[in-house]
Amino acid sequence: MELAGRFTIGETCFFRNQPQLNALRQIAIPKVLEAKSNTPLKRLRIWSAGCSTGEEPYTLSMIMLEEAHGRLKGWTVEILATDLNEHSLATAKTAAYGPYSTRHLAPHYSQKYFTPVGDLLQVQPAPRASIAFSRLNLSDDSRMTFMKSLDIIFCCNVLIYFDLASKRRVIQHFNNNLLPHGYLFLGHSESLYGVSDDFRLVHFPGATAYMKGDRAPAGKQDI
């Protein structure tokens, strides 16, 4: 899988899957905060696994900033953004994007969180502050064991590059690394069917996710 970084396609943009992001903000985050309401450490940890050129983790950071004076008031947010491709990570760290990446940006977000730099839009310091970028091969079992105490994992359109055995290993690591109330978001066309029974499918308006916890009798739960 080390060669995967040479041929995977980092097709992404800001706010790529709006129904999924709505589900994160309106349903998943409140449920996670409710589950952690009695914990002394007010910390939310999100992992963008296969972050490509950074649009996804920056999108997540902006959403969390929108909640900073509401649901997330008093909470610390940490976003771990990893990818195998060093070139993609270098692009992510520059945080400067052209029209294709920013085509779905609403004016509210572009004006509040970006600064025009020539023909590009530069992500401002506030969304960048909560993100830690690093190189990680999802097939590296030893490194994967260190991705601990996570509340939410985004791994969208990444597992399509893995064979079944590798998918199962990665999903097992996700299961081990998520806290009991944790959510796993996959790409629109991706599924854990035939891969893992350790998560239960949850249905949101226009989107789905997987929730760690006791398996529902029918393998899914509507919300």
Side-chain angles (χ1 to χ4, degrees), residues 117-129:
V117 179
D119 295 331
L120 304 177
L121 287 178
Q122 177 92 47
V123 181
Q124 293 182 3
R128 300 171 72 169

Side-chain angles (χ1 to χ4, degrees), residues 25-44:
R25 185 173 181 179
Q26 298 167 10
I27 302 173
I29 292 297
K31 286 186 173 292
V32 168
L33 297 185
E34 181 182 3
K36 302 184 76 170
S37 60
N38 294 322
T39 60
L41 181 61
K42 302 300 183 184
R43 183 182 68 175
L44 187 70

Side-chain angles (χ1 to χ4, degrees), residues 9-25:
I9 302 172
E11 165 63 27
T12 186
C13 64
F14 289 94
F15 293 86
R16 181 178 182 181
N17 187 336
Q18 191 62 57
Q20 186 180 67
L21 297 173
N22 291 342
L24 168 71
R25 185 173 181 179

Side-chain angles (χ1 to χ4, degrees), residues 14 24 33 36 77 93 101 136 149 168 173 177 183 195:
F14 289 94
L24 168 71
L33 297 185
K36 302 184 76 170
V77 176
K93 292 175 183 178
S101 289
L136 175 64
S149 302
R168 286 175 172 165
H173 283 299
N177 296 337
Y183 284 86
V195 178

Side-chain angles (χ1 to χ4, degrees), residues 1-221:
M1 293 305 299
E2 187 69 26
L3 294 174
R6 300 183 183 179
F7 59 79
T8 52
I9 302 172
E11 165 63 27
T12 186
C13 64
F14 289 94
F15 293 86
R16 181 178 182 181
N17 187 336
Q18 191 62 57
Q20 186 180 67
L21 297 173
N22 291 342
L24 168 71
R25 185 173 181 179
Q26 298 167 10
I27 302 173
I29 292 297
K31 286 186 173 292
V32 168
L33 297 185
E34 181 182 3
K36 302 184 76 170
S37 60
N38 294 322
T39 60
L41 181 61
K42 302 300 183 184
R43 183 182 68 175
L44 187 70
R45 282 169 57 84
I46 302 173
W47 181 13
S48 173
C51 68
S52 188
T53 46
E55 289 91 335
E56 179 178 271
Y58 287 129
T59 295
L60 297 174
S61 181
M62 287 184 280
I63 290 173
M64 298 305 109
L65 285 171
E66 290 292 292
E67 295 289 339
H69 299 290
R71 294 187 182 99
L72 289 174
K73 186 176 182 180
W75 287 73
T76 298
V77 176
E78 298 177 2
I79 299 175
L80 311 177
T82 67
D83 202 89
L84 175 62
N85 190 304
E86 292 180 341
H87 178 72
S88 294
L89 287 171
T91 300
K93 292 175 183 178
T94 66
Y97 298 92
Y100 189 78
S101 289
T102 59
R103 65 190 186 276
H104 294 320
L105 270 179
H108 167 76
Y109 286 97
S110 62
Q111 294 167 12
K112 188 174 181 179
Y113 297 113
F114 290 82
T115 300
V117 179
D119 295 331
L120 304 177
L121 287 178
Q122 177 92 47
V123 181
Q124 293 182 3
R128 300 171 72 169
S130 63
I131 303 174
F133 287 101
S134 63
R135 185 177 183 273
L136 175 64
N137 185 343
L138 297 181
S139 293
D140 186 337
D141 291 327
S142 61
R143 288 282 309 281
M144 289 286 278
T145 61
F146 290 98
M147 306 297 291
K148 296 293 186 184
S149 302
L150 295 158
D151 298 295
I152 294 165
I153 297 175
F154 273 75
C155 186
C156 299
N157 306 307
V158 176
L159 294 178
I160 57 175
Y161 298 105
F162 289 71
D163 60 27
L164 180 58
S166 298
K167 285 181 183 179
R168 286 175 172 165
R169 288 209 323 273
V170 171
I171 294 301
Q172 184 59 57
H173 283 299
F174 287 168
N175 183 58
N176 294 341
N177 296 337
L178 275 169
L179 292 170
H181 53 264
Y183 284 86
L184 169 62
F185 288 88
L186 300 179
H188 180 71
S189 62
E190 295 177 301
S191 169
L192 294 187
Y193 180 78
V195 178
S196 174
D197 294 324
D198 291 328
F199 291 85
R200 53 192 172 98
L201 181 65
V202 291
H203 290 267
F204 304 118
T208 60
Y210 289 89
M211 189 173 184
K212 182 172 177 175
D214 295 333
R215 296 173 218 169
K220 66 180 181 179
Q221 172 183 318

